[in-house]
Each structure stands twice: as C-alpha cells, then as structure tokens.
Amino acid sequence: MNTDVKKIEKRLQEVVEKNEDAIKGFDKASENSKDEAIKSYFRGRIENRKLFLVQLKNAASGLDLGDGDIDGSTKGSIHRTWMDVKAFFSGDNDEAMLEEAVRGDKAAIEEYNEVLAETQVPARIKEILREQRDFIQNDLETSEILEEHK
C-alpha cells in the first residue's frame, strides 16, 4: 500500500474514532440527563453517528477503518469520565451534558475540516465527509439552542 493510501486510511480512522467517541459520549449524556426529551435527543444523535460509521466504511471498503466494535479513544474515555464528574457536581445535568455535546461537536467539525483539507482524499469520500460535517454543524446549532433554553 503506498504512503498516500496509508495517510488517507489513517485520517479516516481518526474520523471513525471521533464518531465512536461521539456515540459513547452521547450515550453517557443520555444516562446523565434527567429530561426525557433531552435523553431522546441524545439517543437520536447516537443513531446518526452510527449511520456515519456505516457510510464511511462502505465508501472506503478497501481501507481498514476498524472492526465494527465501537471502541473510541483514550482521550474520549477521559472526556466521558469528565462528563460524569461534571454531572455529579452540576445543578443542571441536562445543561451540563448539552455543553459537553457542543464542545464535542466543535472538535468533530475541526477534525472533519482537517481531513477535507487533505488533497489525496477521493472525491466521493470528501462528499460524504462534507455531508456529515454539515449535519454535525446543524446539530451543533440545535444543541446550542437547547442549552440556552435550559
């Protein structure tokens, strides 16, 4: 495998990992939230991110993008622990979880933008990444609105 393909594979693995972290983070946020509507909102976001993983893996089937298990990263695991601590000390778990969702989505958008800046990424995969990034951007605005109203 040439170095360009390896570089693309590594960058896409990072996007997959970011989505796995999001799935686990939204699950943690749902656990820590008290309002059923907020819980449902986070569960919907889990399903969206699972769909993102399927789309990426199908579009780049020749690359190693993971084994299908949702593992996430060490950094993501630390962030989820922080979410538990924040929920424990927060007077409003829902607002605290929405804040963390906003923070995570902003990091995901940065990751997507970095990968989209790579010139070697095939056009079809870039199209999928742009759609996913735009979805996250729109969802970020929803999270911010919900956070303001808590």
Side-chain angles (χ1 to χ4, degrees):
M1 193 179 290
N2 74 35
T3 57
D4 286 343
V5 173
K6 281 299 234 186
K7 185 175 181 181
I8 293 167
E9 183 178 71
K10 182 180 181 328
R11 296 298 290 171
L12 291 177
Q13 285 170 343
E14 292 167 358
V15 172
V16 165
E17 193 172 77
K18 186 70 75 181
N19 279 293
E20 290 175 348
D21 283 337
I23 289 166
K24 288 180 163 267
F26 293 142
D27 187 50
K28 180 61 67 181
S30 178
E31 282 177 29
N32 288 331
S33 295
K34 298 202 182 331
D35 184 290
E36 281 304 315
I38 301 292
K39 285 178 178 287
S40 178
Y41 171 69
F42 286 130
R43 286 191 295 268
R45 295 185 78 189
I46 290 168
E47 295 310 312
N48 291 125
R49 294 303 178 90
K50 285 180 178 178
L51 178 61
F52 287 4
L53 292 176
V54 169
Q55 289 173 331
L56 285 172
K57 289 177 181 182
N58 287 343
S61 59
L63 301 178
D64 177 16
L65 298 183
D67 57 9
D69 291 339
I70 297 177
D71 299 320
S73 66
T74 302
K75 186 176 179 181
S77 179
I78 292 168
H79 185 238
R80 289 185 295 279
T81 300
W82 166 245
M83 289 171 73
D84 282 339
V85 170
K86 192 170 185 177
F88 181 77
F89 287 106
S90 174
D92 186 345
N93 286 0
D94 295 338
E95 183 178 1
M97 293 306 100
L98 288 164
E99 285 174 8
E100 292 307 313
V102 165
R103 200 168 89 173
D105 281 350
K106 286 179 179 178
I109 290 167
E110 285 179 33
E111 183 79 36
Y112 273 84
N113 286 336
E114 288 173 14
V115 176
L116 285 165
E118 298 282 336
T119 57
Q120 304 92 342
V121 176
R124 176 64 187 130
I125 294 174
K126 275 192 174 186
E127 182 181 330
I128 290 167
L129 291 172
R130 266 190 226 91
E131 289 171 5
Q132 291 181 358
R133 181 209 50 207
D134 293 348
F135 186 92
I136 294 169
Q137 181 64 49
N138 289 335
D139 217 34
L140 173 63
E141 292 166 12
T142 301
S143 293
E144 289 173 332
I145 290 167
L146 288 171
E147 182 185 357
E148 288 173 14
H149 286 82
K150 281 315 291 165

